[in-house]
Amino acid sequence: MIRVLSFILLVFLSWNCKSKQESLIEEIQELLEEQSYEKASGMLKDYLVKPKSDDEVLSSEKPETPRIVELSYDRKRLIYLEDSKLNWRDASDGSNGSKSLDEVPASLAVSLNANFALAEYPMTNGCRLFAISLKNNDLLYESGAQISCRNRGGISDDGSKIYYFVDNQLYEEKTVEPRTPKLVVSKEKITPPFAGLKARFFLYPIGKDFLLFSGNAGSYYLYYFQPEKKSVEKIDQEVISPLIYYGTGDSAYYLGGSIGRLHLRRLQLGKGKPSSSKLFTISRKEINPWKLPGKNEFVSNYSGKVHLWGPSRKSQVLPLLCERIWLVDQNKVLCENEKGGLYLTNLDFPEEDWRILKLYEEARDK
């Protein structure tokens, strides 16, 4: 009797010590033997979509309006807007917080260190602007300007000035009364590639200065804007997307080339005008390149999958299903899944997760 009880206890402990992944793998293997491919695929997908026990869940519910995510230039400070709630998380000191806004902004642009934000609120014929402090309540300034919602403005890192576009021209305004907007760059100096198309303009902070995109329809010029000098210089004229992907403080990446032939390009940041260099041709699944530190490797997401890739390595699908990703701090992936959840996860995956990914691909393709 003692031997029987000991054997039962041993079996129970052995079963109880199995990891969640191991139990799932065993269940899936049984389903595959029964040819229940659809059920197996659904269970595996559900595992790959959800955050794991050691992930940091920032939000588990899908907001009513599309979530807006912004990062500081060093990727250490994360800002995410969910409807009218503005949230932040700082990897430097571990602080986090949130504040409720009176309305839901149409868009959001942050300062260099993401201590301030410029929010655009939709009106009947355009948008109005608010400058907001993200660390305290020192700043809540409403601009008198009514602007097009098509563009992306900017805000200085001390929150003292905002920048926005009116009639294809760039204006500067101090965030104190009285409202005194000043023209700093005329439209002749920031012309788009095609004058006949309605242009769009985008600002991104680099140091005390900004990168400025001008264009539309997959064709943009990239300028270097210096507010103190009120000057602009063209950096590149073969840009297909007005998006910047910050590196780890001294670099940023963007997409150049032409439709059908995409090039990854790097901006080396420092004092003065950034230098642009053409790196290599990339595919569609690599079009949102987030650079890993210390390696010539990137992560991107495409069609719900997350890819690890580089110029000298074969692209590898990671055991992680995300609709959108951002690389936060050094190498933490911020994942927005198809359910609308938002969480931070590391790029270190146990062997069981790789097995689950392989089983998912096998079951899905049956």
Side-chain angles (χ1 to χ4, degrees), residues 316-359:
Q316 182 181 27
V317 177
L318 300 180
L320 184 67
L321 296 180
C322 306
E323 294 302 303
R324 293 195 295 169
I325 68 163
W326 300 260
L327 202 62
V328 179
D329 197 3
Q330 295 297 305
N331 58 358
K332 285 192 174 183
V333 172
L334 177 67
C335 173
E336 183 181 62
N337 62 26
E338 66 176 18
K339 301 177 184 295
L342 190 71
Y343 63 92
L344 282 164
T345 186
N346 291 311
L347 286 172
D348 298 323
F349 301 98
E351 181 61 33
E352 291 83 359
D353 281 6
W354 292 105
R355 290 175 62 192
I356 287 172
L357 174 63
K358 185 178 181 181
L359 286 171

Side-chain angles (χ1 to χ4, degrees), residues 8 23 28 35 90 169 175 250 349:
I8 293 174
S23 299
I28 293 302
Q35 297 186 351
D90 201 321
Q169 303 192 114
T175 54
D250 61 351
F349 301 98

Side-chain angles (χ1 to χ4, degrees), residues 274-301:
S275 59
S276 175
S277 56
K278 300 178 183 180
L279 297 183
F280 41 82
T281 302
I282 61 174
S283 66
R284 284 180 58 83
K285 65 183 180 182
E286 298 160 351
I287 59 175
N288 55 341
W290 292 101
K291 176 74 165 55
L292 290 171
K295 300 178 180 180
N296 198 13
E297 294 179 344
F298 300 81
V299 288
S300 298
N301 71 295

Side-chain angles (χ1 to χ4, degrees), residues 43-57:
M43 292 175 62
L44 291 164
K45 181 180 179 180
D46 189 56
Y47 174 84
L48 294 170
V49 165
K50 288 182 178 179
K52 309 305 180 289
S53 58
D54 55 347
D55 292 338
E56 181 181 352
V57 178

Side-chain angles (χ1 to χ4, degrees), residues 72-73 110-116 155-161 163 205 207-208 210:
S72 60
Y73 82 102
V110 297
S111 61
L112 184 74
N113 288 302
N115 292 323
F116 297 91
I155 184 168
S156 62
D157 204 42
D158 60 0
S160 65
K161 296 177 182 177
Y163 301 90
K208 294 182 179 179
F210 291 85

Side-chain angles (χ1 to χ4, degrees), residues 76-145:
K76 291 185 177 296
R77 190 164 168 81
L78 164 66
I79 310 296
Y80 57 103
L81 176 70
E82 296 183 326
D83 298 327
S84 60
K85 187 177 181 182
L86 193 55
N87 308 274
W88 60 88
R89 179 188 180 280
D90 201 321
S92 299
D93 56 14
S95 64
N96 60 77
S98 64
K99 66 168 57 180
S100 296
L101 306 177
D102 293 335
E103 302 175 54
V104 180
S107 66
L108 194 73
V110 297
S111 61
L112 184 74
N113 288 302
N115 292 323
F116 297 91
L118 182 63
E120 292 186 351
Y121 290 92
M123 300 176 65
T124 304
N125 297 308
C127 279
R128 58 194 175 98
L129 296 171
F130 271 88
I132 306 168
S133 171
L134 298 178
K135 282 213 164 183
N136 47 48
N137 296 317
D138 288 350
L139 179 64
L140 182 59
Y141 173 82
E142 181 180 4
S143 168

